[in-house]
Amino acid sequence: MLSRDQVVAYAADGYLALPGFLDPGTCAALIERAEQIAAEQAPAGPRSVFSTQAQARRSDAWFLESGDQVRCFFEEEAFAADGSLQAAPARAINKIGHALHDREPVFAAASYDPRLAEIAGQIGMREPLAVQSMAIFKQPGIGGEVGCHQDATFLFTAPLSVVGFWVALEDATRDNGCLWVAPGGQRGPLRRRFCRDGVGGVRFAELDPTPLPGPSQLQALPVRAGTLVLLHGLLPHWSGANRSPRRRLAYSLHCVEADADYPADNWLQRGASLPFRRLAAGPPLARSGALV
Ligand code: FE2
């Protein structure tokens, strides 16, 4: 899947964009299912907000128990000062997470695509486990900023191993909140960990005081729909708020090494009934069409 030059570029920069990875039909099918889930589930679920600005404070049980579920989370700006929702629920969703790849067949097909396993192998993963997936809406007008972070903050392993596979399902531009990256920034230390605090909440544990890159050190990464972006787990990246009239829906899958230690205080945990699966293995389908 990757040329030698692309493997070298990923190692140097900590990210790599692969235009045309998903065809328009696959993007459309993923978008359609994400919209369906939002329309069906958002009105019935709790008004749980996802905010990267106040993540430790805003993380509730709906979030902390979503590691093996498909759940909707709202945009902070979707609510008026009095708490009422200002848009239809499906237009107010920040993201759906975090087990789309194991519970939703169209997302499973995209996630356990043998091409992804091959790419993971080419960038040095030995036995990638698919641990987290998200459909990130970045809604027009109200799509929130995702502050500069390293994915290993949220999916810590020892040794560090997380890799993000981020696919633009719609064009991502400077106007609608494309990714911004700090090329080479993966050579810096992990700054902090997002962990369970042992009393039902989460906290950030500070590991290294080195500041994350500021705006002048970040580079915009506008991509067309269908582009896959590989993100090293230590690469600092950011995306701005979407004040444009165009949505920027993306699908993100994170993998870690099967033989790395996955701590019990990582925020994302799964029950025994739905263990993490190897990327290459692929999921069996239940008769109901749901994945087992
Ligand atoms: Fe990220």
Side-chain angles (χ1 to χ4, degrees):
M1 287 300 302
L2 302 182
S3 70
R4 193 183 178 87
D5 285 351
Q6 287 173 317
V7 173
V8 169
Y10 174 78
D13 299 335
Y15 72 95
L16 181 71
L18 298 167
F21 180 77
L22 286 189
D23 61 77
T26 304
C27 289
L30 293 168
I31 291 168
E32 184 183 0
R33 185 59 191 140
E35 288 177 336
Q36 276 174 1
I37 294 168
E40 290 166 13
Q41 296 190 15
R47 299 281 160 87
S48 179
V49 167
F50 182 76
S51 161
T52 65
Q53 310 304 318
Q55 209 157 344
R57 183 170 55 80
R58 299 299 293 262
S59 295
D60 52 15
W62 184 251
F63 176 81
L64 291 174
E65 293 163 14
S66 66
D68 49 13
Q69 302 297 322
V70 172
R71 292 183 172 176
C72 295
F73 301 91
F74 285 86
E75 282 290 355
E76 205 158 25
E77 292 185 27
F79 298 92
D82 66 359
S84 61
L85 205 54
Q86 304 198 86
R91 301 294 289 171
I93 293 302
N94 171 288
K95 69 176 179 180
I96 305 169
H98 290 90
L100 285 162
H101 61 295
D102 282 330
R103 292 200 180 272
E104 285 290 332
V106 292
F107 285 96
S111 308
Y112 293 97
D113 180 333
R115 296 179 304 162
L116 275 191
E118 187 180 333
I119 289 170
Q122 285 189 285
I123 59 171
M125 296 196 86
R126 296 179 309 278
E127 268 191 286
L129 289 185
V131 295
Q132 172 184 267
S133 52
M134 299 179 278
I136 306 163
F137 283 75
K138 198 73 95 169
Q139 300 281 4
I142 61 167
E145 172 187 357
V146 176
C148 191
H149 67 281
Q150 300 166 294
D151 287 342
T153 288
F154 300 97
L155 293 166
F156 181 84
T157 60
L160 296 174
S161 62
V162 64
V163 172
F165 299 84
W166 185 100
V167 189
L169 301 181
E170 297 172 325
D171 292 348
T173 68
R174 281 178 171 79
D175 288 340
N176 71 359
C178 69
L179 290 173
W180 290 64
V181 295
Q186 81 283 3
R187 289 190 285 273
L190 180 61
R191 296 347 187 253
R192 54 186 191 162
R193 269 191 71 198
F194 186 65
C195 4
R196 291 178 180 247
D197 62 10
V199 288
V202 275
R203 67 187 177 93
F204 283 103
E206 303 299 329
L207 303 179
D208 189 292
T210 308
L212 284 165
S216 66
Q217 297 160 282
L218 296 170
Q219 195 171 294
L221 193 58
V223 296
R224 304 300 300 267
T227 302
L228 168 65
V229 179
L230 309 179
L231 294 164
H232 188 286
L234 285 173
L235 183 81
H237 56 285
W238 173 86
S239 69
N242 182 7
R243 302 300 178 204
S244 84
R246 291 180 60 209
R247 191 176 63 186
R248 191 231 67 185
L249 184 48
Y251 177 60
S252 169
L253 177 73
H254 285 94
C255 297
V256 302
E257 285 289 0
D259 64 358
D261 177 49
Y262 188 90
D265 67 349
N266 271 1
W267 86 265
L268 187 148
Q269 299 291 333
R270 281 196 171 192
S273 62
L274 193 71
F276 296 140
R277 298 173 188 283
R278 286 181 172 76
L279 207 53
L285 278 166
R287 223 174 299 159
S288 65
L291 294 157
V292 294

